[in-house]
Amino acid sequence: MTAPEPSTRQRIIEMADRLFYQRGFEHTAFADIAGALQMSRGNFYYHFKTKDEILAAVIAHRAAQTQAMLEGWARQGATPAARLQCFAQMLIDNRHDIQRHGCPVGTLCAELAKLAHPSQGDAGMVFGQFRQWLAAQFQALGRAGDADALAMHLLARSQGIAALANAFHDETFIRREVAQIGAWVNSLASPGARRGKPGSGGRAARTG
């Protein structure tokens, strides 16, 4: 059974999402989105009157995609450690885009912050989705006391990897860092793993 064709509105949102990621929000005009879709201005303006309306729709689209991805990882991973590995694997699966454009969430948040855009908080909520989900996996791993700290530690490391991969265009670096994250997660899952928090000198601090 073939999937239904996306609506015109959905096509606009998906194209805007792509161009905001590749070019940046500020440097993407209505005309760029309409031109990429070979769509008339009248048809375009019927669905969106302002660029901020498109941005809000793109953020909602990303949040929905993120939620679907997290639910997929929950089904895919049989253990908390396996689900955390799914998060790290995302860096490898998206390595080509990351090397060219960076992290789609991080770059949009950074750009909106520089613009002091009122939607910067909404864009950052996608990080909140990851943070909550990662913390739940660390809790299931037996780290209830520092689950949120570990979630933030892993989020920060993934953002650092994406930023440096974008700067140096180094796929080997991405794969090496993901392997080290995997080893770290496995060490936390092993019996008798130390309960140190990131940066406290315990096992959780030694991720590289």
Side-chain angles (χ1 to χ4, degrees):
M1 192 179 231
T2 58
E5 288 291 325
S7 66
T8 299
R9 177 183 173 85
Q10 187 62 27
R11 288 175 59 224
I12 292 172
I13 293 170
E14 291 175 357
M15 181 56 69
D17 184 16
R18 182 187 308 174
L19 293 179
F20 287 173
Y21 178 37
Q22 294 176 349
R23 301 183 184 182
F25 169 73
E26 189 174 19
H27 297 292
T28 301
F30 269 24
D32 297 323
I33 303 169
L37 292 169
Q38 298 183 332
M39 182 180 296
S40 70
R41 289 288 188 93
N43 197 6
F44 189 95
Y45 282 108
Y46 174 80
H47 295 280
F48 294 100
K49 301 297 189 294
T50 69
K51 195 172 168 184
D52 283 350
E53 286 183 8
I54 301 177
L55 176 61
V58 165
I59 292 172
H61 173 68
R62 290 189 179 188
Q65 284 191 314
T66 298
Q67 185 59 39
M69 183 168 57
L70 296 176
E71 291 172 0
W73 291 345
R75 293 189 298 269
Q76 180 180 340
T79 65
R83 294 191 284 274
L84 289 167
Q85 300 283 8
C86 289
F87 172 81
Q89 180 64 31
M90 175 178 59
L91 291 165
I92 293 178
D93 293 343
N94 298 297
R95 62 193 182 279
H96 298 303
D97 285 338
I98 288 171
Q99 287 177 87
R100 291 188 63 188
H101 309 295
C103 167
V105 183
T107 53
L108 181 61
C109 286
E111 182 180 11
L112 295 182
K114 289 178 181 179
L115 296 172
H117 195 283
S119 293
Q120 60 181 298
D122 294 331
M125 287 307 297
V126 176
F127 275 137
Q129 290 175 274
F130 282 116
R131 178 180 182 176
Q132 184 177 21
W133 186 87
L134 290 170
Q137 308 316 310
F138 284 117
Q139 286 180 341
L141 204 60
R143 303 292 298 237
D146 57 354
D148 185 64
L150 291 169
M152 288 292 283
H153 178 69
L154 184 50
L155 264 179
R157 179 157 189 179
S158 69
Q159 284 301 291
I161 294 169
L164 291 178
N166 177 239
F168 295 112
H169 305 284
D170 188 346
E171 181 175 328
T172 301
F173 164 74
I174 298 174
R175 292 184 179 277
R176 183 174 65 247
E177 291 296 311
V178 168
Q180 290 178 359
I181 290 174
W184 172 62
V185 168
N186 288 336
S187 76
L188 294 178
S190 64
R194 294 175 63 181
R195 295 302 191 237
K197 293 183 180 180
S200 67
R203 184 183 296 272
R206 296 195 297 274
T207 63

